[in-house]
Amino acid sequence: MTTYVITVPGTFLRGVPDGVCSDIERRLRPQDPKNTDLGESEELSLLTVDEEGMFAARVEVEAGDQSGAEAEAVRLVSRALRDSGFAEEDAPLGAAIVTGIDREF
């Protein structure tokens, strides 16, 4: 298995109520990329949101390959959003991308 740091972009279409970002971060905290060498050295934030509602969630996942890691990251972020009260159409996600790989040889 390989540890990946995956970035999942998205957009909040209906605004973000106070406290929701911290709720989403709390739900994603076990996958915080700061647990990796890359996340620590690059000071990656778990969740960033700009003024227009665009966001990027960065999570750490273990997977056998890149596509599995990207799919798992989307699943984790989707669940965190849903559990925080966002329907899929209120916070659509973009394509997940690999931000970093921490592979042990």
Side-chain angles (χ1 to χ4, degrees), residues 5 7 25 29 32-48 56-59 99:
V5 175
T7 299
E25 287 179 326
R29 185 69 52 210
D32 193 336
K34 288 190 177 182
N35 297 326
T36 66
D37 289 338
L38 173 71
E40 186 176 334
S41 67
E42 297 296 320
E43 298 180 14
L44 295 178
S45 298
L46 185 59
L47 179 68
T48 55
R58 292 170 194 86
V59 293
T99 305

Side-chain angles (χ1 to χ4, degrees), residues 6-87:
I6 306 291
T7 299
V8 181
T11 304
F12 292 115
L13 298 178
R14 303 203 192 307
V16 185
D18 291 339
V20 169
C21 287
S22 59
D23 186 51
I24 295 167
E25 287 179 326
R26 181 183 55 77
R27 294 175 191 282
L28 293 174
R29 185 69 52 210
Q31 287 79 35
D32 193 336
K34 288 190 177 182
N35 297 326
T36 66
D37 289 338
L38 173 71
E40 186 176 334
S41 67
E42 297 296 320
E43 298 180 14
L44 295 178
S45 298
L46 185 59
L47 179 68
T48 55
V49 182
D50 73 11
E51 293 174 3
E52 288 83 37
M54 292 185 292
F55 66 88
R58 292 170 194 86
V59 293
E60 169 192 351
V61 296
E62 287 195 21
D65 59 27
Q66 179 177 333
S67 63
E70 291 169 345
E72 176 65 5
V74 168
R75 187 185 69 73
L76 291 167
V77 172
S78 293
R79 185 176 66 210
L81 290 167
R82 183 183 63 243
D83 292 350
S84 296
F86 283 93

